[in-house]
Amino acid sequence: MTGMEEFHNGNESSFNSEEAENIVKECIEKVVGADDYSQTQVNKWTAGIVERCLTQLVKQGKPYKYIVTCAVMQKTGAGLHSANSCYWDTTMDGSCTVRWENRTMYCVVSVFAVAIA
């Protein structure tokens, strides 16, 4: 997303937000796919997305603890605003937010990665 700062110190174990964004997009596509918005499916989708993202992030074997959030919203013309702030080690820790959409809904997923000391 534009306006977000990325911090990399050249260390292989530093958080790679681009890699995390690709994982998140793939997870959303696998869980939601081309489905239309359905209120009865939202809980299943959000749980599936965060669980799949966590599984894929942990599989990378990097020394991080992860926090993943997910919001799914029907496209109705209503606004959705969110913000987050973190106090951490910017040389190792990081975050990314992915906004995904299809014809009937928005999905916003945030990943926070905190290096294990």
Side-chain angles (χ1 to χ4, degrees):
M1 290 189 75
T2 59
M4 296 187 74
E5 296 181 42
E6 293 181 42
F7 298 93
H8 299 285
N9 64 1
N11 187 332
E12 264 186 35
S13 62
S14 64
F15 182 70
N16 183 331
S17 62
E18 188 174 310
E19 193 172 89
E21 286 175 14
N22 290 334
I23 289 170
V24 169
K25 288 174 188 171
E26 182 179 302
C27 291
I28 296 169
E29 289 288 339
K30 287 192 179 203
V31 172
V32 178
D35 291 350
D36 283 341
Y37 180 85
S38 169
Q39 185 175 350
T40 61
Q41 295 295 311
V42 172
N43 286 340
K44 183 178 97 172
W45 289 335
T46 56
I49 290 166
V50 297
E51 288 171 16
R52 186 178 285 268
C53 286
L54 279 173
T55 299
Q56 295 305 313
L57 290 163
V58 170
K59 277 185 182 178
Q60 292 181 309
K62 295 188 178 176
Y64 284 100
K65 294 185 274 184
Y66 296 101
I67 301 161
V68 179
T69 65
C70 177
V72 172
M73 181 176 169
Q74 184 176 15
K75 281 188 176 179
T76 62
L80 172 65
H81 303 270
S82 69
N84 62 59
S85 180
C86 303
Y87 180 75
W88 58 19
D89 178 0
T90 58
T91 61
M92 293 296 292
D93 304 336
S95 67
C96 72
T97 299
V98 173
R99 182 180 143 232
W100 176 93
E101 66 181 279
N102 68 11
R103 187 177 61 79
T104 62
M105 71 182 112
Y106 295 106
C107 180
V108 180
V109 176
S110 292
V111 173
F112 302 91
V114 180
I116 299 170

